[in-house]
Tab-separated table of all heavy atoms in Angstrom:
chain	number	residue	atom	x	y	z
A	392	LEU	N	80.107	4.638	-31.721
A	392	LEU	CA	80.296	5.312	-33.052
A	392	LEU	C	81.457	6.107	-33.094
A	392	LEU	O	81.983	6.539	-32.146
A	392	LEU	CB	78.968	6.168	-33.231
A	392	LEU	CG	77.704	5.399	-33.181
A	392	LEU	CD1	76.433	6.380	-33.262
A	392	LEU	CD2	77.615	4.362	-34.346
A	393	PHE	N	81.895	6.330	-34.350
A	393	PHE	CA	83.027	7.291	-34.582
A	393	PHE	C	82.548	8.818	-34.525
A	393	PHE	O	81.842	9.216	-35.319
A	393	PHE	CB	83.773	7.103	-35.921
A	393	PHE	CG	84.302	5.740	-35.991
A	393	PHE	CD1	83.916	4.859	-37.005
A	393	PHE	CD2	85.409	5.270	-35.250
A	393	PHE	CE1	84.331	3.676	-37.177
A	393	PHE	CE2	85.907	3.894	-35.403
A	393	PHE	CZ	85.443	3.147	-36.323
A	396	MET	N	82.927	11.116	-37.489
A	396	MET	CA	82.290	10.812	-38.874
A	396	MET	C	80.911	11.087	-38.757
A	396	MET	O	80.268	10.965	-37.698
A	396	MET	CB	82.555	9.270	-39.115
A	396	MET	CG	83.822	8.830	-39.471
A	396	MET	SD	83.770	7.109	-39.804
A	396	MET	CE	85.457	6.794	-40.254
A	397	THR	N	80.150	11.476	-39.838
A	397	THR	CA	78.793	11.613	-39.900
A	397	THR	C	78.158	10.108	-39.858
A	397	THR	O	78.836	8.980	-39.873
A	397	THR	CB	78.284	12.051	-41.267
A	397	THR	OG1	78.638	11.197	-42.298
A	397	THR	CG2	78.894	13.360	-41.652
A	398	VAL	N	76.823	10.197	-39.571
A	398	VAL	CA	76.008	9.024	-39.420
A	398	VAL	C	76.222	8.070	-40.607
A	398	VAL	O	76.548	6.847	-40.438
A	398	VAL	CB	74.493	9.281	-39.261
A	398	VAL	CG1	73.660	8.172	-39.500
A	398	VAL	CG2	74.285	9.936	-37.717
A	399	LEU	N	76.070	8.650	-41.777
A	399	LEU	CA	76.185	7.770	-43.028
A	399	LEU	C	77.670	7.201	-43.069
A	399	LEU	O	77.833	6.069	-43.386
A	399	LEU	CB	75.935	8.697	-44.291
A	399	LEU	CG	75.882	7.798	-45.549
A	399	LEU	CD1	74.655	6.988	-45.564
A	399	LEU	CD2	76.013	8.706	-46.863
A	400	GLU	N	78.685	8.040	-42.850
A	400	GLU	CA	79.985	7.534	-42.832
A	400	GLU	C	80.257	6.324	-41.787
A	400	GLU	O	80.941	5.410	-42.030
A	400	GLU	CB	80.992	8.678	-42.474
A	400	GLU	CG	81.113	9.718	-43.548
A	400	GLU	CD	81.981	9.226	-44.703
A	400	GLU	OE1	82.742	8.247	-44.544
A	400	GLU	OE2	81.864	9.813	-45.835
A	401	ASN	N	79.517	6.533	-40.665
A	401	ASN	CA	79.776	5.473	-39.657
A	401	ASN	C	79.162	4.132	-40.185
A	401	ASN	O	79.754	3.085	-39.942
A	401	ASN	CB	78.951	5.850	-38.343
A	401	ASN	CG	79.821	6.538	-37.362
A	401	ASN	OD1	80.652	5.848	-36.582
A	401	ASN	ND2	79.796	7.821	-37.161
A	402	VAL	N	78.065	4.212	-40.778
A	402	VAL	CA	77.412	2.971	-41.322
A	402	VAL	C	78.156	2.321	-42.381
A	402	VAL	O	78.161	1.106	-42.559
A	402	VAL	CB	75.859	3.332	-41.707
A	402	VAL	CG1	75.177	2.060	-42.229
A	402	VAL	CG2	75.259	3.828	-40.437
A	403	ILE	N	78.809	3.170	-43.315
A	403	ILE	CA	79.374	2.565	-44.430
A	403	ILE	C	80.913	2.246	-44.108
A	403	ILE	O	81.665	1.611	-44.985
A	403	ILE	CB	79.358	3.343	-45.723
A	403	ILE	CG1	80.108	4.680	-45.532
A	403	ILE	CG2	77.946	3.632	-46.024
A	403	ILE	CD1	80.324	5.512	-46.936
A	404	ALA	N	81.444	2.683	-42.945
A	404	ALA	CA	82.946	2.555	-42.777
A	404	ALA	C	83.397	1.151	-42.900
A	404	ALA	O	84.380	0.852	-43.548
A	404	ALA	CB	83.317	3.124	-41.341
A	405	ALA	N	82.654	0.156	-42.334
A	405	ALA	CA	83.294	-1.228	-42.299
A	405	ALA	C	83.215	-1.830	-43.727
A	405	ALA	O	84.192	-2.296	-44.221
A	405	ALA	CB	82.577	-2.106	-41.335
A	406	PRO	N	82.063	-1.844	-44.430
A	406	PRO	CA	82.035	-2.372	-45.768
A	406	PRO	C	83.016	-1.728	-46.680
A	406	PRO	O	83.659	-2.465	-47.489
A	406	PRO	CB	80.654	-2.095	-46.292
A	406	PRO	CG	79.761	-1.794	-45.120
A	406	PRO	CD	80.688	-1.222	-44.039
A	407	VAL	N	83.240	-0.357	-46.661
A	407	VAL	CA	84.045	0.321	-47.604
A	407	VAL	C	85.662	0.096	-47.065
A	407	VAL	O	86.352	-0.277	-47.948
A	407	VAL	CB	83.737	1.821	-47.622
A	407	VAL	CG1	84.800	2.509	-48.384
A	407	VAL	CG2	82.358	2.078	-48.249
A	412	GLU	N	84.294	-2.558	-50.183
A	412	GLU	CA	83.153	-2.418	-51.115
A	412	GLU	C	83.097	-1.091	-51.706
A	412	GLU	O	83.649	-0.127	-51.196
A	412	GLU	CB	81.923	-2.752	-50.161
A	412	GLU	CG	80.669	-2.803	-51.009
A	412	GLU	CD	79.296	-2.902	-50.132
A	412	GLU	OE1	79.519	-3.484	-48.950
A	412	GLU	OE2	78.240	-2.520	-50.626
A	417	ALA	N	77.576	0.649	-50.955
A	417	ALA	CA	77.482	0.588	-49.496
A	417	ALA	C	76.605	1.833	-49.008
A	417	ALA	O	75.770	1.767	-48.103
A	417	ALA	CB	78.877	0.790	-48.904
A	418	GLY	N	76.731	3.015	-49.796
A	418	GLY	CA	76.000	4.182	-49.338
A	418	GLY	C	74.501	4.004	-49.638
A	418	GLY	O	73.714	4.396	-48.802
A	420	ARG	N	72.941	1.148	-49.632
A	420	ARG	CA	72.362	0.199	-48.638
A	420	ARG	C	72.252	0.863	-47.233
A	420	ARG	O	71.290	0.776	-46.481
A	420	ARG	CB	73.326	-1.069	-48.428
A	420	ARG	CG	72.776	-2.172	-47.568
A	420	ARG	CD	73.440	-3.473	-47.854
A	420	ARG	NE	74.701	-3.610	-47.239
A	420	ARG	CZ	75.851	-3.525	-47.986
A	420	ARG	NH1	75.816	-3.308	-49.156
A	420	ARG	NH2	77.013	-3.673	-47.378
A	421	ALA	N	73.269	1.743	-46.839
A	421	ALA	CA	73.246	2.549	-45.633
A	421	ALA	C	72.019	3.318	-45.581
A	421	ALA	O	71.414	3.428	-44.530
A	421	ALA	CB	74.405	3.408	-45.472
A	422	GLU	N	71.615	4.000	-46.735
A	422	GLU	CA	70.494	4.909	-46.649
A	422	GLU	C	69.252	4.153	-46.506
A	422	GLU	O	68.256	4.505	-45.636
A	422	GLU	CB	70.480	5.685	-48.001
A	422	GLU	CG	71.451	6.799	-48.055
A	422	GLU	CD	71.590	7.444	-49.403
A	422	GLU	OE1	70.729	7.093	-50.330
A	422	GLU	OE2	72.467	8.220	-49.614
A	423	GLU	N	69.101	2.968	-47.088
A	423	GLU	CA	67.953	1.990	-46.862
A	423	GLU	C	67.943	1.559	-45.468
A	423	GLU	O	66.813	1.477	-44.851
A	423	GLU	CB	68.122	0.833	-47.832
A	423	GLU	CG	67.881	0.995	-49.240
A	423	GLU	CD	68.311	0.003	-50.161
A	423	GLU	OE1	68.766	-1.057	-49.704
A	423	GLU	OE2	68.244	0.200	-51.485
A	424	LEU	N	69.081	1.214	-44.871
A	424	LEU	CA	69.051	0.757	-43.501
A	424	LEU	C	68.686	1.909	-42.516
A	424	LEU	O	68.060	1.727	-41.361
A	424	LEU	CB	70.477	0.215	-43.070
A	424	LEU	CG	70.750	-1.218	-43.716
A	424	LEU	CD1	72.136	-1.614	-43.533
A	424	LEU	CD2	69.839	-2.276	-43.032
A	425	LEU	N	69.183	3.076	-42.725
A	425	LEU	CA	68.810	4.222	-41.965
A	425	LEU	C	67.427	4.545	-41.862
A	425	LEU	O	66.631	4.929	-40.975
A	425	LEU	CB	69.599	5.493	-42.261
A	425	LEU	CG	71.161	5.339	-41.857
A	425	LEU	CD1	71.948	6.533	-42.493
A	425	LEU	CD2	71.358	5.405	-40.272
A	428	VAL	N	65.612	1.891	-39.694
A	428	VAL	CA	65.635	2.114	-38.348
A	428	VAL	C	65.002	3.618	-38.067
A	428	VAL	O	65.159	4.106	-36.868
A	428	VAL	CB	66.994	1.988	-37.796
A	428	VAL	CG1	67.435	0.570	-37.921
A	428	VAL	CG2	68.049	2.994	-38.301
A	430	ILE	N	65.642	6.694	-39.071
A	430	ILE	CA	66.515	7.994	-38.843
A	430	ILE	C	67.146	8.472	-40.210
A	430	ILE	O	68.261	8.981	-40.181
A	430	ILE	CB	67.580	7.814	-37.853
A	430	ILE	CG1	68.264	6.394	-37.939
A	430	ILE	CG2	66.938	8.109	-36.498
A	430	ILE	CD1	69.404	6.290	-37.048
A	434	ALA	N	71.219	11.452	-41.592
A	434	ALA	CA	72.346	10.870	-42.281
A	434	ALA	C	73.529	11.736	-42.209
A	434	ALA	O	74.807	11.343	-42.110
A	434	ALA	CB	72.052	10.423	-43.566
A	446	GLN	N	71.391	7.317	-31.577
A	446	GLN	CA	72.836	6.817	-31.825
A	446	GLN	C	72.676	5.217	-31.787
A	446	GLN	O	73.517	4.561	-32.524
A	446	GLN	CB	73.689	7.355	-30.630
A	446	GLN	CG	74.059	8.801	-30.823
A	446	GLN	CD	75.200	9.103	-29.843
A	446	GLN	OE1	76.235	8.542	-29.860
A	446	GLN	NE2	74.877	10.150	-28.970
A	448	ARG	N	70.385	3.403	-32.805
A	448	ARG	CA	69.750	2.854	-34.011
A	448	ARG	C	70.801	2.996	-35.104
A	448	ARG	O	70.733	2.159	-35.973
A	448	ARG	CB	68.426	3.653	-34.325
A	448	ARG	CG	67.316	3.288	-33.292
A	448	ARG	CD	65.848	3.819	-33.705
A	448	ARG	NE	65.846	5.174	-33.172
A	448	ARG	CZ	65.139	6.076	-33.639
A	448	ARG	NH1	64.374	5.818	-34.713
A	448	ARG	NH2	65.135	7.293	-33.143
A	449	VAL	N	71.647	4.066	-35.127
A	449	VAL	CA	72.729	4.130	-35.998
A	449	VAL	C	73.609	2.963	-35.802
A	449	VAL	O	74.039	2.324	-36.777
A	449	VAL	CB	73.535	5.451	-35.912
A	449	VAL	CG1	74.746	5.349	-36.810
A	449	VAL	CG2	72.681	6.628	-36.163
A	450	ALA	N	73.874	2.532	-34.581
A	450	ALA	CA	74.750	1.461	-34.479
A	450	ALA	C	74.096	0.045	-34.890
A	450	ALA	O	74.868	-0.751	-35.422
A	450	ALA	CB	75.012	1.234	-32.854
A	451	ILE	N	72.833	-0.045	-34.769
A	451	ILE	CA	72.187	-1.184	-35.290
A	451	ILE	C	72.280	-1.193	-36.926
A	451	ILE	O	72.542	-2.142	-37.511
A	451	ILE	CB	70.654	-1.188	-34.974
A	451	ILE	CG1	70.663	-1.415	-33.446
A	451	ILE	CG2	69.946	-2.335	-35.602
A	451	ILE	CD1	69.201	-1.373	-32.754
A	452	ALA	N	71.993	0.001	-37.543
A	452	ALA	CA	72.158	0.064	-39.013
A	452	ALA	C	73.561	-0.285	-39.396
A	452	ALA	O	73.784	-0.939	-40.430
A	452	ALA	CB	71.742	1.476	-39.465
A	453	ARG	N	74.497	0.250	-38.649
A	453	ARG	CA	76.049	-0.069	-39.087
A	453	ARG	C	76.222	-1.531	-38.917
A	453	ARG	O	76.939	-2.116	-39.849
A	453	ARG	CB	76.825	0.708	-37.904
A	453	ARG	CG	78.303	0.396	-38.087
A	453	ARG	CD	79.127	1.077	-37.089
A	453	ARG	NE	78.786	0.610	-35.710
A	453	ARG	CZ	79.351	1.022	-34.714
A	453	ARG	NH1	80.258	1.911	-34.661
A	453	ARG	NH2	79.108	0.546	-33.413
A	454	ALA	N	75.728	-2.145	-37.906
A	454	ALA	CA	75.998	-3.604	-37.827
A	454	ALA	C	75.350	-4.310	-38.976
A	454	ALA	O	75.907	-5.248	-39.649
A	454	ALA	CB	75.548	-4.220	-36.496
A	455	LEU	N	74.070	-3.927	-39.348
A	455	LEU	CA	73.359	-4.664	-40.519
A	455	LEU	C	73.994	-4.204	-41.843
A	455	LEU	O	73.864	-5.067	-42.879
A	455	LEU	CB	71.998	-4.110	-40.523
A	455	LEU	CG	71.083	-4.559	-39.418
A	455	LEU	CD1	69.703	-3.855	-39.309
A	455	LEU	CD2	70.801	-6.071	-39.332
A	456	CYS	N	74.695	-3.180	-42.041
A	456	CYS	CA	75.416	-2.922	-43.190
A	456	CYS	C	76.458	-3.825	-43.688
A	456	CYS	O	76.717	-3.974	-44.807
A	456	CYS	CB	75.877	-1.510	-43.164
A	456	CYS	SG	76.079	-0.738	-44.868
A	457	MET	N	76.843	-4.661	-42.708
A	457	MET	CA	77.902	-5.794	-43.049
A	457	MET	C	77.109	-7.088	-43.468
A	457	MET	O	77.804	-7.999	-43.720
A	457	MET	CB	78.796	-6.014	-41.895
A	457	MET	CG	79.794	-4.878	-41.506
A	457	MET	SD	80.981	-4.689	-42.875
A	457	MET	CE	82.142	-6.078	-42.464
Side-chain angles (χ1 to χ4, degrees):
L392 299 173
F393 297 117
M396 288 185 179
T397 65
V398 163
L399 189 72
E400 290 284 340
N401 265 284
V402 176
I403 67 171
V407 172
E412 188 180 336
R420 190 160 76 256
E422 284 169 8
E423 288 164 3
L424 288 166
L425 289 169
V428 300
I430 41 172
Q446 289 187 58
R448 286 183 285 154
V449 174
I451 293 172
R453 176 186 58 183
L455 290 172
C456 204
M457 289 292 283

